[in-house]
Amino acid sequence: MTDVAGLLERFDAQLRAGISSEPGLCVERSGLTVRMSGLWDLVIHSNLTEATADDAIRLEMARPLPPGRKLEWKVYGHDRPSDLGERLRRAGFAPEDSETLVLLDLAATFPDTPLPAGVAIRSVADRAGLGDVAAVGLRAFGEDYSSMTDDFLARVEHGTVFFYVAYVNAEPVAAARLEMAQSREFAWLFGGGTVPEHRGRGIYRALVGARVRAAQARGYRYATVEARPTSLPILRRLGFVPLTSVTGWTWQPQAGGAS
């Protein structure tokens, strides 16, 4: 896995520039940007130069947003121009914590990820299961995802999104999401949040293992994660390789002002 530039080119083509609309997500292409709306308002990919970047940023900021929503612009370390983040800052965007895009070759031998004692991991695909996912999100991240349940259910039925919940005595204590776009090489692992009192037990590692095995079973070649600093060491021990940095830049129109 030495051709990092080639892997990033394929990743961009398939999961960023080539992303498709599906239930709950509308994808729009301007020629310079690829923007998702629905569950999120997100510029997932851009093809910019020093001459076009500032105008593209202004055009995205001028587009309407639902009341109270933020626009996120995802900037990867290899995106151009090289000062795209600073241009977003000057336009009024604020950076989230930086993460690292890591990749696992699913053809390689993957380490065992045994379940901790007393923990069960289940794939969930109904409203009750997604309610458990939302409950974990609230306790693990302080984020309420319950408003997304209907859209996530539609995506589950569409066959591109899968949720896993870890339980201790029927209590949901950790949850994670796996996205497997159709006809793609790359499976995308998201989340992996664990409630504070159950951290440090290997539950996150076990959730990674469950999703890796699911992606392998469906014939995907690679698994990717946008890793926080806390999860990066675990993922590297499991064989994931860092490719580039990832920073989400967010902007919200002033209340009562035009978006």
Side-chain angles (χ1 to χ4, degrees):
M1 199 185 300
T2 57
D3 184 14
V4 172
L7 286 167
L8 287 172
E9 183 177 356
R10 286 150 64 189
F11 172 82
D12 286 348
Q14 295 181 35
L15 291 189
R16 299 180 68 202
I19 194 169
S20 301
S21 296
E22 59 180 80
L25 289 175
C26 176
V27 177
E28 299 172 276
R29 293 173 171 82
S30 70
L32 295 177
T33 59
V34 180
R35 177 165 169 162
M36 302 164 60
S37 58
L39 278 164
W40 304 279
D41 298 285
L42 172 67
V43 177
I44 186 63
H45 183 261
S46 60
N47 181 24
L48 306 176
T49 66
E50 292 182 356
T52 61
D54 292 335
D55 284 345
I57 292 169
R58 282 192 289 268
L59 285 172
E60 292 298 337
M61 295 174 70
R63 297 178 59 182
L65 281 172
R69 293 280 286 267
K70 294 181 179 181
L71 173 64
E72 181 179 4
W73 193 306
K74 195 69 72 76
V75 178
Y76 291 73
H78 60 290
D79 286 347
R80 295 292 177 265
S82 58
D83 63 348
L84 179 56
E86 287 307 309
R87 291 171 184 265
L88 288 166
R89 187 193 301 275
R90 290 197 296 269
F93 285 74
E96 303 287 343
D97 292 338
S98 184
E99 299 175 333
T100 303
L101 177 69
V102 297
L103 178 140
L104 176 72
D105 187 341
L106 295 177
T109 301
F110 188 70
D112 290 334
T113 53
L115 281 172
V119 177
I121 291 180
R122 302 172 197 154
S123 175
V124 299
D126 57 13
R127 188 171 296 277
L130 290 189
D132 290 340
V133 173
V136 170
L138 193 59
R139 294 176 62 194
F141 302 124
E143 298 284 346
D144 185 359
Y145 301 113
S146 59
S147 63
M148 300 180 177
T149 295
D150 288 340
D151 285 329
F152 273 137
L153 277 174
R155 296 186 72 203
V156 168
E157 293 171 359
H158 188 63
T160 54
V161 178
F162 304 80
F163 288 91
Y164 296 82
V165 178
Y167 294 90
V168 173
N169 297 325
E171 176 193 1
V173 299
R177 184 170 94 248
L178 171 64
E179 302 216 358
M180 292 192 286
Q182 297 170 354
S183 301
R184 298 290 192 266
E185 290 182 280
F186 299 86
W188 212 334
L189 281 60
F190 288 98
T194 305
V195 302
E197 59 268 33
H198 287 280
R199 291 172 185 163
R201 300 182 56 196
I203 298 176
Y204 174 80
R205 178 185 170 99
L207 280 169
V208 171
R211 289 175 289 167
V212 163
R213 289 187 290 273
Q216 288 174 322
R218 287 176 174 260
Y220 284 76
R221 176 61 194 275
Y222 302 107
T224 59
V225 184
E226 292 178 1
R228 296 182 177 90
T230 51
S231 57
L232 182 58
I234 301 170
L235 292 166
R236 296 194 70 165
R237 287 194 293 270
L238 290 173
F240 285 81
V241 176
L243 297 183
T244 190
S245 61
V246 190
T247 304
W249 290 80
T250 60
W251 169 78
Q252 186 172 22
Q254 293 183 356
S259 59

